[in-house]
Amino acid sequence: MSDDKRKEARRRADRMRAEFKEKQKPLDWFEALYQEADGDPGLIPWGGSAEVGSPGPGSPGQEEGQNTKIQNPWAHGQARLPLIEWLDRDEQKKELSTAAIQLKALDVGCGLGHNAVALYKAGYQVTAFDISETAVKWAARNAAQLPIEWTTQNLLNLPEDWSEKFDLVSETFTIQALYGAEREMAIKSLTKLVAPKGKLLIICRGRRDDTIPKSPPLPLMPSELDQIENFGFVSTFRKDYFDNKTPSNLHFVAEFTKV
Ligand SMILES: C[S@@+](CC[C@H](N)C(=O)[O-])C[C@H]1O[C@@H](n2cnc3c(N)ncnc32)[C@H](O)[C@@H]1O
């Protein structure tokens, strides 16, 4: 996608976010954005980008030469590369191949569905949801040949019978779009969905101090991730990476296992 189109997509998203915040309907802009894009994924800012790269110079915790690179940028219309890399680890493949029955994964805030497809291809039975009905229909069309269950749901008000249903709950870049009480509720809600011994995977923008950026998203702080352990989880995998923007943005990949 061209830089101009990417910038246009961002401008449209910023405008809609502000409009709906004004109307005191802070979650409704997602549906409006997908509707206005009218089937053009280039008008969805998170539709794809060359977003992973090397650690930022002088970034905290990064020693010179330390390899935290995620090598291949992901292209438009593909799953998030940190998710693919996480799925591709030996321990993850072993868990899937030795499970007595097919493991169930939930893709949170599925957008156009590329991450859900990656979960399916890795071997999970997949349910994927988004608050935007238009996004869900679009994702279902994109992956019409695959037996993925697509559904429109609000993370803040999920079906009761989803409690402890999923062996993997995977969220990429959704919590960071939420603020305040809604964000806290969303994190708590995610923890409830995970089956005993199951995993919660969070891939997100990160920040190391409590400075709030002038414009969204609001990256997660390590303390927000750490609080997940208070809901009966242990941290079982953590990785930091930087994208290749200028200046580069810190991201976290965090896996928690329910005890
Ligand atoms: C920044 S996009 C990320 C999309 C996708 N996960 C990815 O990695 O590209 C955030 C997505 O979360 C969805 N979303 C936001 N708030 C939500 C909520 N409360 N419940 C369900 N989905 C939500 C939006 O519609 C949007 O598709």
Side-chain angles (χ1 to χ4, degrees):
M1 190 193 337
S2 74
D3 276 359
D4 283 351
K5 190 152 190 187
R6 176 160 305 285
K7 280 185 192 146
E8 187 197 336
R10 291 246 162 251
R11 271 197 300 272
R12 288 155 58 89
D14 289 345
R15 170 176 54 78
M16 288 187 178
R17 191 188 296 108
E19 263 174 43
F20 282 88
K21 192 175 169 202
E22 185 92 346
K23 291 183 199 160
Q24 315 238 326
K25 293 187 170 174
L27 292 179
D28 289 7
W29 72 275
F30 292 105
E31 173 60 18
L33 181 84
Y34 284 110
Q35 274 187 23
E36 207 180 286
D38 196 23
D40 180 353
L43 293 178
I44 305 298
W46 46 86
S49 74
E51 70 128 21
V52 288
S54 57
S59 308
Q62 303 299 332
E63 290 163 20
E64 209 178 320
Q66 184 182 351
N67 183 12
T68 60
K69 278 188 184 177
I70 295 179
Q71 295 293 345
N72 303 314
W74 64 289
H76 193 76
Q78 293 180 7
R80 301 271 176 189
L81 199 69
L83 173 64
I84 293 176
E85 295 213 340
W86 182 85
L87 287 168
D88 203 37
R89 290 167 315 126
D90 288 344
E91 54 267 54
Q92 192 55 35
K93 287 196 268 195
K94 189 170 168 205
E95 184 179 308
L96 275 157
S97 63
T98 56
I101 53 168
Q102 195 181 18
L103 299 180
K104 294 189 180 75
L106 179 69
D107 184 33
V108 175
C110 64
L112 301 186
H114 307 299
N115 297 328
V117 170
L119 292 167
Y120 170 79
K121 286 185 177 166
Y124 286 100
Q125 178 187 326
V126 180
T127 303
F129 77 94
D130 200 283
I131 198 168
S132 160
E133 189 182 0
T134 301
V136 169
K137 285 185 178 158
W138 192 339
R141 263 197 319 277
N142 280 346
Q145 73 286 14
L146 302 181
I148 293 172
E149 188 184 339
W150 305 97
T151 173
T152 306
Q153 302 285 347
N154 181 352
L155 172 57
L156 307 178
N157 185 22
L158 291 173
E160 286 286 318
D161 63 356
W162 280 16
S163 179
E164 301 212 321
K165 182 173 173 180
F166 299 97
D167 303 293
L168 171 67
V169 172
S170 171
E171 106 76 12
T172 51
F173 294 14
T174 297
I175 296 173
Q176 66 186 41
L178 305 175
Y179 286 68
E182 282 171 349
R183 182 171 174 120
E184 275 182 40
M185 277 169 67
I187 293 175
K188 201 167 165 186
S189 174
L190 290 178
T191 64
K192 285 194 189 150
L193 303 168
V194 182
K197 299 198 175 8
K199 290 175 182 166
L200 172 59
L201 178 68
I202 297 180
I203 297 173
C204 60
R205 286 270 294 272
R207 66 192 159 120
R208 296 206 187 275
D209 61 45
D210 56 9
T211 313
I212 296 185
K214 284 197 191 90
S215 58
L218 180 57
L220 274 79
M221 292 202 296
S223 57
E224 289 179 283
L225 293 173
D226 293 344
Q227 62 158 318
I228 289 170
E229 299 198 59
N230 299 335
F231 295 100
F233 287 79
V234 287
S235 167
T236 38
F237 179 87
R238 188 76 73 94
K239 178 172 181 167
D240 301 357
Y241 73 91
F242 285 83
D243 63 18
N244 58 3
K245 294 184 180 143
T246 308
S248 62
N249 299 302
L250 173 64
H251 290 70
F252 299 137
V253 179
E255 173 201 289
F256 298 87
T257 301
K258 205 175 224 180
V259 287

